[in-house]
Amino acid sequence: MSAIKPVYLNEILSHHPIIEAINDEAFGPGRFVRAAERVREQGPHDADLSFVAAVDDEIVGSVRMTAITAGSVAGHLLGPLAVRPSFKNLGIGKQLVRIAVAAALDAGSEGVILVGDPPYYSPLGFEPVRARLIFPGPVDPNRILVAPKGGDIHDRLDGDIVWRGESATAVEVREVGGI
Ligand SMILES: CC(C)(COP(=O)(O)OP(=O)(O)OC[C@H]1O[C@@H](n2cnc3c(N)ncnc32)[C@H](O)[C@@H]1OP(=O)(O)O)[C@@H](O)C(=O)NCCC(=O)NCCS
């Protein structure tokens, strides 16, 4: 069993430089041309629903959430999700996803959408989007996944995916559930 004990915190403004460094390291410069990133460029992410993982006061992972409209669904787009290479395979990525999804659904999101690998996200409640969501760039439709709040929102996940509304900026750090 690992002796590393990550803690999970809501994102605050001062985390921004290290989160940028973690995402640069994980995705490289090509990240800015990805279709999901082009949705995120339309407006700020929601810091209240975004989280970091820290080990011994060092930020080692991050997940961000952005309010979007997907077809006629008022949901959230999850990502980027990244964990520093030396802290991989400790469960940090999955726990960041669990915390962010729970926070968004508790806050009234109709569903959390992402572009990612189904084998990683399926055990976390994500399922393939059945209708046709249109991103502002090419996306493999098999990698568009949703964790719905409830009911069948799939019929309404049909149309453009665009940034939505006002997003908050947290000013105080809060610890949230650990593993
Ligand atoms: C993907 C990433 C966030 C996973 O973080 P992590 O903290 O190592 O993940 P966890 O420890 O929670 O989960 C690890 C498990 O997921 C598996 N896994 C990792 N990436 C996977 C993928 N793309 N597809 C399927 N399984 C994957 C690992 O093999 C491991 O399996 P195991 O538990 O059976 O050993 C991290 O590897 C990363 O930052 N990668 C680069 C950026 C990236 O690809 N982000 C996701 C974009 S969709």
Side-chain angles (χ1 to χ4, degrees):
M1 186 143 160
S2 166
I4 294 174
K5 296 273 178 243
V7 295
Y8 297 89
L9 309 165
N10 73 292
E11 180 187 318
I12 58 171
L13 269 178
S14 62
H15 293 149
H16 186 77
I18 183 68
I19 291 171
E20 287 299 303
I22 290 172
N23 287 333
D24 282 347
E25 178 183 45
F27 299 102
R31 73 182 169 110
F32 294 108
V33 301
R34 297 190 315 149
E37 199 59 38
R38 286 164 69 181
V39 176
R40 293 192 274 267
E41 278 167 5
Q42 294 169 8
H45 67 287
D46 190 335
D48 269 355
L49 301 177
S50 300
F51 298 89
V52 296
V55 173
D56 297 335
D57 294 330
E58 179 194 354
I59 304 298
V60 300
S62 158
V63 64
R64 281 180 161 168
M65 206 64 111
T66 301
I68 45 94
T69 302
S72 64
V73 169
H76 287 80
L77 183 66
L78 185 149
L81 167 70
V83 174
R84 291 228 111 123
S86 44
F87 293 90
K88 282 183 182 177
N89 296 319
L90 298 172
I92 293 173
K94 287 183 177 167
Q95 187 64 4
L96 282 168
V97 172
R98 284 189 205 99
I99 290 169
V101 169
L105 298 184
D106 280 354
S109 183
E110 290 191 89
V112 175
I113 291 157
L114 60 79
V115 181
D117 292 333
Y120 187 74
Y121 292 102
S122 297
L124 299 168
F126 285 83
E127 52 195 54
V129 167
R130 295 198 288 271
R132 199 168 74 95
L133 270 185
I134 302 160
F135 280 76
V139 177
D140 177 352
N142 297 317
R143 301 183 76 237
I144 306 177
L145 309 176
V146 62
K149 177 156 186 148
D152 193 356
I153 61 170
H154 280 272
D155 288 350
R156 294 190 294 119
L157 287 171
D158 191 8
D160 291 326
I161 179 161
V162 292
W163 182 81
R164 166 172 69 86
E166 298 293 315
S167 292
T169 302
V171 288
E172 276 181 39
V173 72
R174 294 189 309 269
E175 186 170 338
V176 294
I179 305 183

